[in-house]
Amino acid sequence: MAILRGFLLGLGLALAGVVQGHDDGSQWVDLWASMPQEVEPHNLPPAPFTGEDSIYTNTTIRQTIHLTQPAPHIRLYLSNEFGGPSADLHISAVTIALPLNGTAGSPSVQPRTLRQVTFSGGSKSFTIPNGAIAISDPIRNLNVKAETNLAVTIYIQQGQQGKRISGHPGSRTSSWFINGDHTKAVDLPSEAVRVDRWFILSAVEGWVDKKRTLGSLVIIGDSITDGRGSTTNGNDRWPDQLLRRLESQRRGGSGMSVINQAAGGNRVLADGLGPNALGRIARDVLAHNGVKYVVLFEGVNDLGTAAEGDLVKTGDRLIQAYEQIITRLHGRGIAVFGATITPMSGPGQAYGEPRREEQRVRVNRWIRTSGRFDAVIDFDKAVRDPKNETRLRPEYDTGDYLHLNPTGYKAMAEAVDLRLFERFRDGVSSIV
């Protein structure tokens, strides 16, 4: 009994450290995150979940996400960053569970794993003002593994006023909507509506041992990283396949999270589908705990959408923006790996106009030879057609000459030198 009491006392002190921020040799690190963006009108939830003047009224949303590092305790981040003026988001209840059979996109969960989520020291509900996030209380002793799919079920009774909400349309994962509070339901009723998008969730952190983790790798990217062309509910984007490589080659798991902060249509130099990359570095990298490495893989949409008369200037500005991003991240000791822009030419592909291709080649030359990045990941070389280097290999191409299929994403994942993460595990110095 004395041994048991001692164990329970030690466990209680350890968990108190999690809540109160005491240093027990562990730290919070992202296990999953998704780039928040304002949801466009055509990506809003279908009726009746989007009404005439509000969204989510009396609505349960069940979503699954793919965790990337083991952790005993986790906590959720919920976002109302893009809610309209004075449009509070009233979270009525949240639960988590493992999905049925561990499957992504499942409307059902494993009953013994169902857990209530609380906020601010025990409250089951929380109101998030517009522009803000909410962090849950630690969910203890969940003991998730890398590549675990986690179901998060959110109930919103009051709804959110207006038509401006935060989410991530490029989830490549199914979510489920139904009226009423079904946060404790094992199986959602058959009338639940499938929507292949994420809403409200922006990150999940894990409490991990500092000695056993390499922290997190954050990937700043566009639709190629977001996984257009990958398999819905298959988790076979290139970052997912990189995670599998890490897991297979490190004893006991990678000890490193792979965090996908990408969105379709995103650009480095201008807002569009989400804030521009130069502007969102603070939110999507520096504001997150435990970031050790960044892969910068953006620029194709800047070159592909620039006015023809501005292409050289756009190339100049891209290089300057990369310099700025590197400088900011080095100031925090974060290693930055530059990824070359992949081919974007082919019949009918507007991005492939010859003068745009000239700038892609020019920017890639700078990425490879400038010496500004801590390392270079040559995605262009890995996926281009050796018979025509302006195009993707035919076996990797989805058919639009821009996005890759899962086989192409595998080739991208295999182009990453895994030794980089040990080489830069202690970070980098900012050089004046």
Side-chain angles (χ1 to χ4, degrees):
M1 289 297 294
I3 293 174
L4 177 60
R5 282 195 300 270
F7 170 77
L8 293 175
L9 177 60
L11 177 61
L13 290 173
L15 295 179
V18 172
V19 173
Q20 298 173 18
H22 296 165
D23 186 359
D24 68 346
S26 297
Q27 63 178 349
W28 289 110
V29 174
D30 282 343
L31 308 183
W32 171 89
S34 178
M35 183 192 130
Q37 59 190 107
E38 183 173 347
V39 178
E40 312 97 310
H42 67 277
N43 279 321
L44 292 173
F49 312 106
T50 294
E52 292 186 3
D53 56 6
S54 66
I55 298 178
Y56 300 139
T57 300
N58 189 32
T59 296
T60 292
I61 314 169
R62 176 163 287 172
Q63 307 175 86
T64 53
I65 56 178
H66 194 61
L67 306 181
T68 64
Q69 184 171 180
H73 321 301
I74 69 169
R75 62 185 184 185
L76 311 182
Y77 280 60
L78 309 184
S79 174
N80 188 23
E81 179 178 351
F82 294 99
S86 303
D88 291 346
L89 176 59
H90 304 279
I91 303 296
S92 303
V94 181
T95 60
I96 61 164
L98 298 180
L100 183 66
N101 300 320
T103 304
S106 174
S108 301
V109 299
Q110 301 174 36
R112 293 184 180 180
T113 66
L114 194 66
R115 302 276 290 272
Q116 183 77 49
V117 177
T118 60
F119 300 86
S120 299
S123 175
K124 294 181 180 180
S125 62
F126 191 85
T127 298
I128 312 174
N130 67 299
I133 60 171
I135 307 174
S136 77
D137 296 333
I139 305 159
R140 305 170 181 176
N141 300 320
L142 197 63
N143 295 314
V144 297
K145 306 299 182 185
E147 299 192 83
T148 295
N149 289 316
L150 182 72
V152 180
T153 308
I154 302 171
Y155 174 58
I156 304 165
Q157 182 179 34
Q158 186 172 331
Q160 185 170 13
Q161 293 301 304
K163 297 291 181 69
R164 296 182 60 186
I165 59 172
S166 300
H168 191 86
S171 66
R172 275 84 201 179
T173 308
S174 299
S175 301
W176 297 88
F177 280 68
I178 190 165
N179 286 135
D181 182 359
H182 297 271
T183 52
K184 295 183 179 179
V186 172
D187 302 302
L188 293 183
S190 59
E191 59 267 30
V193 176
R194 172 178 165 174
V195 179
D196 290 349
R197 296 183 279 284
W198 284 317
F199 301 89
I200 303 171
L201 278 171
S202 65
V204 175
E205 287 185 330
W207 188 247
V208 299
D209 186 338
K210 294 177 183 177
K211 294 179 180 179
R212 294 180 59 84
T213 183
L214 293 176
S216 69
L217 162 68
V218 175
I219 303 164
I220 300 295
D222 47 46
S223 57
I224 299 171
T225 298
D226 206 26
R228 183 170 174 179
S230 64
T231 308
T232 298
N233 297 318
N235 289 310
D236 53 13
R237 313 164 190 85
W238 77 260
D240 302 320
Q241 300 200 55
L242 172 60
L243 174 66
R244 293 191 187 104
R245 284 190 66 210
L246 289 162
E247 286 295 300
S248 67
Q249 295 191 26
R250 282 183 59 86
R251 184 176 300 174
S254 72
M256 186 179 78
S257 303
V258 178
I259 304 302
N260 190 334
Q261 292 281 29
N266 198 239
R267 291 180 288 182
V268 176
L269 302 174
D271 291 353
L273 298 181
N276 67 82
L278 183 57
R280 66 186 178 91
I281 287 296
R283 182 197 70 177
D284 292 346
V285 180
L286 300 179
H288 289 251
N289 296 316
V291 179
K292 288 283 192 71
Y293 322 91
V294 165
V295 171
L296 181 57
F297 178 43
E298 277 212 52
V300 68
N301 291 315
D302 297 87
L303 297 175
T305 62
E308 288 190 11
D310 291 337
L311 283 168
V312 173
K313 182 171 70 174
T314 299
D316 291 340
R317 292 186 61 208
L318 269 177
I319 291 169
Q320 292 169 351
Y322 294 157
E323 290 268 15
Q324 288 287 315
I325 291 169
I326 293 165
T327 298
R328 292 191 71 183
L329 297 179
H330 279 178
R332 294 287 187 89
I334 297 170
V336 189
F337 309 141
T340 51
I341 301 171
T342 49
M344 57 187 197
S345 296
Q349 175 52 260
Y351 281 22
E353 193 271 334
R355 284 173 290 182
R356 300 182 192 279
E357 174 65 14
E358 288 174 6
Q359 292 306 308
R360 184 184 76 89
V361 170
R362 174 191 167 215
V363 171
N364 278 349
R365 185 185 305 116
W366 185 88
I367 291 170
R368 292 185 179 106
T369 64
S370 68
R372 289 291 287 126
F373 288 103
D374 298 299
V376 173
I377 301 170
D378 203 342
F379 286 150
D380 172 46
K381 182 178 179 181
V383 302
R384 70 193 181 200
D385 186 347
K387 297 178 181 179
N388 183 347
E389 294 186 354
T390 70
R391 296 190 186 185
L392 295 171
R393 283 179 175 268
E395 63 268 30
Y396 297 163
D397 189 358
T398 59
D400 67 0
Y401 306 101
L402 180 63
H403 298 96
L404 293 86
N405 56 32
T407 302
Y409 288 139
K410 181 180 180 182
M412 291 178 66
E414 290 176 347
V416 180
D417 183 353
L418 302 188
R419 295 172 296 181
L420 291 175
F421 305 113
E422 286 291 344
R423 178 181 169 192
F424 291 100
R425 69 176 300 157
D426 296 324
V428 297
S429 299
S430 180
I431 301 174
V432 178

